[in-house]
Amino acid sequence: MYAMEKIFLLQLFLWQLPHLVLTNFKAQDNICSMSDPFQFPYEYSKPGDIIIGGIAAQFDCLLEISNFEEHPETKVVEELMAMLKNYQHVLSLIFAVKQINENPKILPNISIGFYIYDSYNNAKMSYQNTLKLLSAQKKNIPNYNCKKQTNLIAVIGGLDAKVSLHMATVLGIYKIPQIACCVFAPVMNVKTQLPFFYRMNPSETNQYMGLIQLLLFFQWKWIGIVSPDDDKGEKFMQTMLPLLSQNAICAAIIERTLTLSGVLENFDSFEPLVAMAASLSKPDVKVYIVNADSQAVACLKWLLYLYGSLESPTQLTIGKVWLMTAQWDFSSETFHRHFDIYVFHGALSLASHSKEVLGFTEFLHSLHPIWSKEDGFIRIFWKQAFNCLFPNSNEGKESNNSCTGNENLENLPGTLFEMTMTSQSYSIYNAVHAIAYALHKMFLSSTQVKSYLLPMLDSPKQLHWQLHYFLRTISFNNTAGDTISFDENSELVAGFDVINWITFPNKSFLRMKVGYLDPQALSGYQLTVHEETIIWHSSFNQILPVALCNEKCHPGYRQKKKEGEPFCCYYCVPCPDGKISNQKDMDNCFKCPEDQFPNKSKNHCIIKRLRFLSFLHPLGISLTFLVLFFPLLTILILGIFIKNQNTPIVKANNRDLTYCLLISLLLCFLCSLLFIGQPQRVTCYLRQITFGITFTVAVSCILAKTITVVVAFMAIKPGSRMRKWVGKRLTTLILFGCSFIQTSICAVWLCADPPFLEFDMYSLPGAILVQCNEGSLGMFYYVLGYLGFLAIVSFTVAFLARKLPDSFNEAKFITFSMLVFCSVWLSFIPSYQSTNGEYMVAVEIFSILASGAGLLSCIFFPKCYIIILKPKLNIKEQLIKRNT
């Protein structure tokens, strides 16, 4: 028996995480458990203590937590361990137990201790040791108490899902809570199939999506996958491959690492192993996802070492980016002590979120092999870690390297032992606290605390199933400040840290957090990565590794799939005319917006320039000069006629109509300015209407002048009734009547379907035609048709009256002017229909100027010639003489 009121705790260093179990027993009963008791120097001064224990995965130990009142005994089966690093897992357990026992606010009057068993990563041993928890003597006889009242409270499972499942199938029968730390769930629907199973890790689905998001973040689309060749590896592949395909990521290489039996089968021939290693070293695959099961990683190490030794002795490391799943812990077996860990330099991994726990490093500094009487494993750990022998060792061999006990744990490589708490140890630490807080909450939940608590301690069999409700609803802040709680699937509500692993020549490494995956965040904001802090393998020269089947298609190109190859492999072909691609690796090109057009490289859109007949355009400048010249010429002629208004040549053929004709021609020339410059809504209304009315007035004046000559000649005949039409009455009627009809047509046009401003995006590449749409094209031709009708009538009348005896007969000049007018507008129609944009406008302006200039020159130039150059002909005597 040991000192009164002490808990003797066990320390463990095996391949995986210890599975912890809560049990309840009385100290005066006979203990039917393991042999070789030992103790730890931790004091528990409260009566009615609880002990923690569990089963480990893969050559780990099982720790049992029991409730005792007086002098507990903690016992262990001492086995040779292969993994030194997992010693920290038990130390984190011990540290958590120590904190809980020293905190009177959590479990007052109750202390915690544990037992240890080993599962050996074997189904038979896992079941056997689980049954030991339910038995009361060395033989596995479940429910047999052996005169000792004992009952399991809870079990803390390990990292291995298979072993956790072995335990759960037995513990579930008794409704015993099991808190596993396995990264991957043991079954698909855990909540339904294992209702008493809890996981101190985030959802497995979140880890799969985290791996995908990392690949997408770095744009890695051509990757390899390494997974163990067993049921766990098969489940991993069945889940990952569809996710990769959905996110357009190709698995170029899929390697299934051999199990222990597979290695033995291939022991006689290295060819399959060398072929597998050569496949992993292919230069076109830079990134590998590794399902980081401990056996898979161990096999991967041997494959890389084998390939380096046989194929490339001068270069024993292969420059790759290894993307590890969350169960990976950078650890080495003792026989890997000299393995070159630089092959994993720059690796990335997901890890269950963790924080540094204050006091843990100081706790590790307090370890000393002098504890050998309390800890049956510390001397074994010390010998393997420091490769030494204790002087009093009974191994029967000599060693030059003796263990002094003063060796410093900080001098050990990180692959063997770390002084900071790993994510797996952090999960164990939180699991112990979760059980303690659940017990605390359960004890305080009843309103009658004393009447409820005492019967429960006397009947501990009621304890384990009552704990479930409190575990499901537990929520507390641990000493590191993290909130610990379970979701509806009994999984830890937390995220994943993104870890960058940096190795050093002395076998040490740096675990650097470079990102965080928050599954509870909004979509698109779940993954945060500080890319600038990531250290890559030296083969990448600190440049982001490229993981693509081929080079990315540059902007201006699109992907074209290669026949018979994975969809990640493609050709890059230029975008077709009228389309662009403005990003790399686009599946299809797309059209620019309507107001933009592709540049020559077809990698971005250029805003289309507005095209219209500008005043600054060379054609616009020329037409503007003509538009201003002809009005000035018309004004000059009008001035000449006004100055010589009393001369016979001006007074002949109705002087007022002459003035009206000159003014209408002036307006006709000036209305051409409405067609130059950027069209506006108002100018679109006024263009054709002004043109049609002003030219109608001009042609009506010409028609009136022609008819006046004919009527005047007919009126001189004796008895003619035409005398009453001689004078202003007839000219006014013709002028206003003809103009009124055209004005009415224009009014109907404006009311029914008026012209409007139009932006033509497609007629000219790279330009937007700003133009006036005529609205109703039929109304536009009605206006032209009526104008042509007046011109033909004027031409006909003038042609018939051209030989009337009159010295100043204008009919022959009007005939020529109408011939020019009709010729211009007949040629206008096909020219107008065959052009667009500013050239269509230029055709109409030219037609206006040409027809107006024809009228001006044919009718008024001969008269101006006589007025200015032949004034002797512009006298009454000459008029009489010529008439005679």
Side-chain angles (χ1 to χ4, degrees):
M1 300 296 287
Y2 299 100
M4 180 72 79
E5 294 183 78
K6 284 184 180 287
I7 292 296
F8 304 109
L9 305 179
L10 175 66
Q11 307 190 40
L12 177 67
F13 52 102
L14 293 180
W15 278 24
Q16 290 283 354
L17 165 70
H19 300 243
L20 311 179
V21 183
L22 291 177
T23 65
N24 189 345
F25 72 94
K26 291 189 176 181
Q28 65 268 23
D29 294 325
N30 181 31
I31 299 177
C32 303
S33 133
M34 297 171 288
S35 61
D36 300 330
F38 63 96
Q39 66 180 22
F40 284 96
Y42 298 120
E43 296 185 358
Y44 301 92
S45 58
K46 308 176 185 64
D49 296 339
I50 292 179
I51 297 180
I52 302 180
I55 296 179
Q58 297 186 7
F59 299 95
D60 286 353
C61 290
L62 178 147
L63 299 96
E64 184 178 351
I65 300 178
S66 305
N67 184 354
F68 67 95
E69 294 179 354
E70 294 182 2
H71 305 294
E73 292 181 349
T74 310
K75 306 185 179 183
V76 64
V77 176
E78 186 174 318
E79 299 288 346
L80 182 62
M81 277 67 67
M83 292 287 283
L84 300 176
K85 195 164 187 180
N86 289 329
Y87 188 30
Q88 190 196 93
H89 300 341
V90 175
L91 294 178
S92 65
L93 161 70
I94 298 171
F95 183 70
V97 169
K98 181 175 180 292
Q99 282 189 332
I100 293 169
N101 289 336
E102 293 177 352
N103 189 348
K105 296 182 180 180
I106 300 178
L107 292 175
N109 299 323
I110 296 176
S111 298
I112 297 178
F114 50 84
Y115 286 100
I116 301 177
Y117 295 93
D118 195 346
S119 70
Y120 298 93
N121 191 35
N122 180 275
K124 178 180 178 181
M125 291 300 299
S126 299
Y127 284 115
Q128 177 178 330
N129 288 332
T130 304
L131 291 175
K132 285 183 180 181
L133 296 173
L134 306 171
S135 304
Q137 60 182 11
K138 293 183 179 180
K139 292 184 179 180
N140 294 332
I141 307 176
N143 303 325
Y144 178 64
N145 290 329
C146 192
K147 298 181 181 180
K148 180 185 73 170
Q149 296 180 7
T150 179
N151 188 55
L152 291 177
I153 303 302
V155 176
I156 299 179
L159 292 177
D160 188 85
K162 182 171 64 175
V163 174
S164 297
L165 178 61
H166 297 331
M167 298 169 56
T169 55
V170 177
L171 297 174
I173 300 174
Y174 296 89
K175 300 181 180 180
I176 297 174
Q178 178 183 349
I179 304 180
C181 298
C182 51
V183 171
F184 295 105
V187 291
M188 295 298 293
N189 193 344
V190 177
K191 185 177 181 181
T192 302
Q193 301 183 45
L194 303 175
F196 308 107
F197 186 83
Y198 303 83
R199 289 178 59 222
M200 194 53 69
N201 272 302
S203 171
E204 181 179 338
T205 302
N206 294 335
Q207 181 176 195
Y208 287 122
M209 293 309 302
L211 294 173
I212 297 297
Q213 290 186 48
L214 275 174
L215 295 176
L216 295 177
F217 179 85
F218 294 112
Q219 299 183 22
W220 291 334
K221 300 296 184 71
W222 187 249
I223 66 168
I225 302 179
V226 179
S227 185
D229 190 12
D230 54 16
D231 294 340
K232 294 180 294 184
E234 185 64 28
K235 177 186 174 184
F236 179 81
M237 298 299 299
Q238 290 178 358
T239 306
M240 279 299 300
L241 290 179
L243 290 176
L244 293 173
S245 179
Q246 292 170 15
N247 291 275
I249 302 173
C250 293
I253 296 176
I254 298 177
E255 288 294 345
R256 309 299 293 268
T257 59
L258 300 177
T259 60
L260 180 60
S261 60
V263 173
L264 294 176
E265 291 175 1
N266 293 275
F267 188 77
D268 295 335
S269 175
F270 282 104
E271 292 183 3
L273 300 177
V274 173
M276 188 182 299
S279 175
L280 294 175
S281 64
K282 287 184 177 180
D284 60 326
V285 181
K286 304 294 185 182
V287 178
Y288 281 88
I289 292 180
V290 180
N291 183 7
D293 176 86
S294 59
Q295 293 189 24
V297 174
C299 184
L300 177 62
K301 290 179 182 178
W302 279 112
L303 289 174
L304 297 177
Y305 182 81
L306 178 64
Y307 180 78
S309 301
L310 299 179
E311 300 293 330
S312 180
T314 60
Q315 183 180 0
L316 298 181
T317 61
I318 300 175
K320 304 290 182 182
V321 177
W322 306 101
L323 184 55
M324 305 288 191
T325 51
Q327 74 264 42
W328 187 52
D329 187 15
F330 208 148
S331 57
S332 292
E333 295 83 353
T334 54
F335 45 83
H336 280 174
R337 188 187 298 270
H338 301 293
F339 180 81
D340 185 11
I341 66 172
Y342 188 72
V343 68
F344 294 115
H345 180 68
L348 297 176
S349 74
L350 294 178
S352 298
H353 175 65
S354 63
K355 287 185 178 179
E356 181 61 30
V357 178
L358 295 178
F360 183 69
T361 302
E362 291 76 9
F363 170 73
L364 296 182
H365 282 295
S366 68
L367 295 180
H368 196 275
I370 199 173
W371 287 8
S372 59
K373 293 182 180 180
E374 294 83 16
D375 182 352
F377 291 136
I378 190 169
R379 291 172 65 90
I380 300 175
F381 164 78
W382 213 269
K383 288 186 293 184
Q384 292 190 17
F386 294 104
N387 195 22
C388 64
L389 292 176
F390 286 96
N392 58 349
S393 174
N394 296 324
E395 298 182 14
K397 58 181 178 180
E398 298 294 332
S399 175
N400 296 328
N401 188 14
S402 299
C403 298
T404 64
N406 295 323
E407 290 83 3
N408 193 347
L409 292 175
E410 289 185 340
N411 295 332
L412 291 175
T415 55
L416 297 181
F417 191 81
E418 293 186 60
M419 296 298 291
T420 58
M421 187 176 287
T422 65
S423 60
Q424 295 93 332
S425 297
Y426 190 72
S427 297
I428 301 171
Y429 176 84
N430 289 329
V432 177
H433 277 81
I435 295 173
Y437 275 94
L439 286 170
H440 172 78
K441 189 176 179 181
M442 183 176 66
F443 290 159
L444 297 180
S445 62
S446 176
T447 55
Q448 299 176 347
V449 177
K450 292 183 179 179
S451 62
Y452 175 75
L453 180 59
L454 294 177
M456 182 175 60
L457 293 176
D458 291 337
S459 302
K461 293 182 180 181
Q462 306 297 320
L463 206 58
H464 58 266
W465 63 267
Q466 292 173 340
L467 192 63
H468 283 292
Y469 170 77
F470 301 97
L471 277 174
R472 292 190 186 102
T473 59
I474 193 68
S475 180
F476 66 94
N477 290 334
N478 64 11
T479 58
D482 281 339
T483 300
I484 306 301
S485 63
F486 295 103
D487 60 14
E488 65 277 3
N489 295 317
S490 300
E491 295 173 327
L492 182 68
V493 179
F496 289 94
D497 293 325
V498 181
I499 307 297
N500 183 209
W501 299 85
I502 304 169
T503 65
F504 301 98
N506 62 353
K507 308 298 181 180
S508 63
F509 60 85
L510 177 63
R511 186 197 311 258
M512 186 166 60
K513 293 182 181 180
V514 295
Y516 182 67
L517 176 67
D518 184 7
Q520 284 74 42
L522 296 175
S523 179
Y525 298 92
Q526 295 180 341
L527 179 65
T528 302
V529 177
H530 306 291
E531 185 178 352
E532 67 281 356
T533 63
I534 298 178
I535 304 298
W536 304 109
H537 194 278
S538 60
S539 61
F540 301 115
N541 297 320
Q542 202 47 37
I543 298 175
L544 176 66
V546 178
L548 298 172
C549 179
N550 43 256
E551 290 292 331
K552 291 184 177 181
C553 292
H554 294 288
Y557 293 81
R558 66 174 180 87
Q559 298 178 2
K560 182 180 180 181
K561 305 303 180 185
K562 291 183 178 180
E563 295 295 333
E565 295 192 26
F567 60 85
C568 292
C569 301
Y570 46 81
Y571 300 106
C572 295
V573 296
C575 290
D577 293 339
K579 293 186 177 182
I580 70 159
S581 61
N582 57 1
Q583 296 179 7
K584 289 185 177 181
D585 270 354
M586 294 193 67
D587 293 331
N588 293 296
C589 303
F590 60 92
K591 291 184 177 181
C592 292
E594 288 188 344
D595 60 341
Q596 300 177 22
F597 71 101
N599 66 335
K600 185 178 294 184
S601 300
K602 299 179 182 179
N603 55 11
H604 69 273
C605 296
I606 302 175
I607 296 179
K608 294 180 179 180
R609 61 187 183 90
L610 301 179
R611 288 284 297 271
F612 53 88
L613 186 58
S614 171
F615 286 103
L616 301 179
H617 192 278
L619 180 59
I621 294 174
S622 302
L623 292 176
T624 302
F625 173 77
L626 293 176
V627 168
L628 295 178
F629 170 75
F630 285 113
L632 291 176
L633 182 60
T634 305
I635 293 173
L636 178 61
I637 294 173
L638 179 61
I640 293 174
F641 272 64
I642 292 174
K643 184 178 180 181
N644 299 277
Q645 60 182 336
N646 294 320
T647 60
I649 199 169
V650 175
K651 293 171 68 176
N653 301 111
N654 199 323
R655 180 173 54 188
D656 295 335
L657 280 178
T658 300
Y659 293 156
C660 182
L661 176 58
L662 287 172
I663 294 173
S664 62
L665 287 176
L666 174 64
L667 296 177
C668 288
F669 291 131
L670 292 177
C671 81
S672 300
L673 293 175
L674 295 174
F675 293 84
I676 305 176
Q678 183 172 347
Q680 303 294 333
R681 184 178 180 182
V682 175
T683 56
C684 288
Y685 281 145
L686 296 178
R687 274 184 179 183
Q688 306 297 353
I689 304 300
T690 305
F691 150 72
I693 293 177
T694 54
F695 261 96
T696 299
V697 172
V699 175
S700 297
C701 290
I702 295 174
L703 179 61
K705 289 171 72 68
T706 308
I707 292 177
T708 300
V709 172
V710 175
V711 171
F713 179 78
M714 294 175 64
I716 62 174
K717 294 181 179 180
S720 176
R721 296 181 180 179
M722 301 300 296
R723 291 182 179 181
K724 61 180 179 179
W725 294 103
V726 176
K728 294 183 178 181
R729 181 179 179 183
L730 179 60
T731 58
T732 304
L733 181 62
I734 294 173
L735 179 62
F736 284 98
C738 295
S739 301
F740 176 76
I741 294 174
Q742 185 71 292
T743 304
S744 300
I745 295 174
C746 293
V748 172
W749 186 7
L750 290 177
C751 294
D753 191 5
F756 57 89
L757 183 63
E758 181 184 52
F759 295 90
D760 185 355
M761 306 287 186
Y762 309 106
S763 296
L764 290 179
I768 300 175
L769 292 181
V770 185
Q771 59 189 7
C772 291
N773 190 299
E774 311 306 343
S776 175
L777 193 60
M779 296 302 297
F780 173 63
Y781 286 113
Y782 283 150
V783 170
L784 287 181
Y786 179 73
L787 189 59
F789 169 75
L790 292 180
I792 292 173
V793 172
S794 298
F795 172 78
T796 303
V797 174
F799 181 79
L800 295 175
R802 72 187 185 282
K803 294 184 178 181
L804 292 178
D806 189 352
S807 297
F808 298 98
N809 184 7
E810 292 181 308
K812 55 185 177 182
F813 301 118
I814 292 174
T815 300
F816 285 111
S817 66
M818 287 297 99
L819 183 61
V820 173
F821 186 88
C822 292
S823 299
V824 169
W825 287 106
L826 285 176
S827 61
F828 162 77
I829 295 176
S831 301
Y832 187 81
Q833 293 292 338
S834 61
T835 56
N836 59 6
E838 65 264 36
Y839 299 105
M840 178 185 287
V841 177
V843 167
E844 187 165 1
I845 294 174
F846 178 80
S847 299
I848 292 173
L849 296 178
S851 58
L855 295 178
L856 188 66
S857 59
C858 292
I859 296 176
F860 294 99
F861 280 5
K863 294 183 178 181
C864 290
Y865 174 78
I866 295 174
I867 293 173
I868 297 172
L869 300 178
K870 301 292 183 178
K872 294 181 179 181
L873 299 178
N874 191 17
I875 57 177
K876 187 175 181 180
E877 291 78 7
Q878 183 64 27
L879 176 63
I880 296 172
K881 180 179 179 182
R882 293 188 64 183
N883 287 338
T884 303

